[in-house]
Amino acid sequence: MATPQAYVYDAVRTPFGKFGGALAQTRPDDLAAAVVRATLDRSPGLAAGDVDEVVLGLANGAGEDNRNVARMAVLLAGMPTSVPGSTVNRLCGSGLDALFTGSRALETGDAQVVLTGGVESMSRAPWVLPKPSRAFPAGDVTAASTTLGWRLVNPRMPTEWTVSLGGANELLQQRFGISRTRQDEFAARSHERAAAAWAEGFYDDLVVPVGEVTKDEGIRPGTTVERLAELQPAFDPAGTITAGNASPLSDGASAVLLATAEAAATVGHDPLARVAGRGTFALDPQDFGFAPVEAANRALARAGVGWDAVGAVELNEAFAVQSLACLDAWGIDPGIVNTRGGAIALGHPLGASGGRVVGTLVARMRAERVRWGVAAICIGVGQGLAVVLENTDAQEAGVR
């Protein structure tokens, strides 16, 4: 008996909002429920009760999203209470890890249809106070923000591991000698491509409105290298990373519908892409920006293809410097990477970004008639994930 394979049937996301922006008044569980509901509505032949599991990624989970946000999304989206929900946390890779979990469930025969994705409201992430180890402390206690990065750090952690995310990428810049100009050029191109993609209607079928919010909020059309060059370094006075060549804090949610080939009749339409290979990799925490390199190489090896066969790449742009370091290491044509903009322009709501890069990759592969594509993401504390997808129209796609 042949081993079942996992296929992507649909992908959708909310617009990505700025920190404190248009989505800041929307709870994360409501954002998650919005994409779950939208996914079901887009496959009207699929009964909600036929979804075997909902698996969502979430990076923080210290606030309104604290009590298994996937299960909350199931309930808030009006799905039957019999549909289970599970939340996974691999920081920035959580949404892609959710796809890994869902695709493995399909391949092992544990499920036929799994709705995956992720969510993050960085605007609504709370401040937290550590509990005292002894009652009635006399001194002050400092609240820690749960929006991003290290907090409440174990004192046994080496200090070089717990450097800030930006500080870690300044170290990466020093290691590879990636100039400020290259980073700013990369960032300007991200905004240019994102603005063009929206203008051309590329995102019309990938993004569902949340109330009156219909479009990604962080795109700055007309961004130039010259304007970016005026920004001051954000992490090191002598550094190269600025607010302009790094991804912004964001709010949003994404969903990716997975199912086996045999479940096509249940879903009500044909699949779009096959999950051909997955890759994970870990290294020293401060080097996290470089982790997608080996993660993608491993995913390609498991798919049985090389970089020369890949025609589309979606790499989450946490920072321009780490994105460039990865592209240089892969030795691929930058012209196939993030052609519809990336996280520097679109935003990076941590738990949702994995679903975004997969959804964008599938849409690109179909539009650009590409057979093989790679989606990859770096993850704080020294990890990377990548997935290889095969276009189900491969026979007609014109391999390149």
Side-chain angles (χ1 to χ4, degrees):
M1 183 176 177
T3 301
Q5 297 191 67
Y7 289 83
V8 176
Y9 278 77
D10 196 15
V12 69
R13 66 176 176 88
T14 69
F16 286 177
K18 291 181 179 179
F19 183 80
L23 294 180
Q25 299 304 314
T26 306
R27 291 172 56 109
D29 46 1
D30 285 330
L31 288 173
V35 291
V36 168
R37 185 69 256 167
T39 303
L40 297 171
D41 291 345
R42 287 158 62 98
S43 294
L46 176 64
D50 287 335
V51 177
D52 294 304
E53 184 97 34
V54 174
V55 185
L56 298 182
L58 176 73
N60 287 327
E64 297 156 334
D65 45 11
N66 75 90
R67 196 163 172 78
N68 188 0
V69 74
R71 178 61 174 166
M72 298 300 105
V74 166
L75 301 175
L76 291 167
M79 298 182 76
T81 57
S82 58
V83 177
S86 175
T87 302
V88 299
N89 185 344
R90 205 192 287 244
L91 301 182
C92 300
S94 299
L96 191 51
D97 209 17
L99 180 141
F100 281 22
T101 300
S103 60
R104 290 181 183 123
L106 300 176
E107 292 165 358
T108 58
D110 287 344
Q112 291 291 307
V113 181
V114 182
L115 201 165
T116 71
V119 63
E120 208 76 49
S121 176
M122 300 179 81
S123 294
R124 298 178 74 87
W127 295 281
V128 298
L129 288 173
K131 281 188 174 180
S133 56
R134 303 175 71 175
F136 312 118
D140 295 333
V141 178
T142 301
S145 171
T146 64
T147 298
L148 179 70
W150 291 93
R151 58 263 187 186
L152 308 180
V153 179
N154 190 314
R156 296 196 299 113
M157 284 280 188
T159 55
E160 62 268 24
W161 287 358
T162 61
V163 64
S164 72
L165 301 177
N169 278 275
E170 287 288 11
L171 295 174
L172 201 66
Q173 186 278 326
Q174 295 168 21
R175 175 180 170 187
F176 291 107
I178 296 170
S179 70
R180 165 75 181 268
T181 299
R182 280 191 72 194
Q183 294 176 56
D184 287 347
E185 288 172 347
F186 185 90
R189 189 160 56 247
S190 183
H191 285 281
E192 177 185 359
R193 288 174 169 177
W198 270 105
E200 294 164 5
F202 174 82
Y203 285 112
D204 290 354
D205 191 51
L206 280 174
V207 176
V208 293
V210 176
E212 300 299 315
V213 185
T214 60
K215 188 175 179 180
D216 299 314
E217 203 178 5
I219 303 169
R220 298 190 301 275
T223 296
T224 65
V225 175
E226 292 73 22
R227 291 176 64 184
L228 291 172
E230 297 173 359
L231 299 176
Q232 296 299 309
F235 303 99
D236 179 346
T240 61
I241 299 174
T242 71
N245 59 33
S247 60
L249 306 180
S250 309
D251 307 326
S254 63
V256 180
L257 180 63
L258 304 177
T260 61
E262 295 73 19
T266 301
V267 176
H269 56 84
D270 292 332
L272 304 174
R274 178 176 69 92
V275 178
R278 296 174 295 261
T280 63
F281 186 64
L283 35 57
D284 288 348
Q286 68 272 26
D287 296 331
F288 75 92
F290 200 59
V293 173
E294 184 58 23
N297 291 342
R298 292 183 178 190
L300 284 165
R302 287 167 183 152
V305 297
W307 277 111
D308 57 343
V310 175
V313 175
E314 284 295 315
L315 173 63
N316 192 58
E317 300 167 355
F319 296 85
V321 65
Q322 59 83 208
S323 300
L324 288 164
C326 292
L327 301 191
D328 291 349
W330 288 326
I332 60 176
D333 176 8
I336 68 170
V337 181
N338 298 359
T339 60
R340 312 298 175 144
I344 288 173
L346 301 172
H348 179 21
L350 308 177
S353 289
R356 178 193 69 79
V357 294
V358 169
T360 303
L361 178 64
V362 171
R364 282 186 54 202
M365 292 170 67
R366 307 288 288 192
E368 299 168 17
R369 303 183 69 78
V370 166
R371 179 174 182 178
W372 297 102
V374 173
I377 195 164
C378 69
I379 304 165
V381 202
Q383 297 192 88
L385 296 181
V387 65
V388 177
L389 301 180
E390 182 184 21
N391 191 340
T392 53
D393 280 344
Q395 291 75 20
E396 306 172 12
V399 180
R400 58 188 174 97

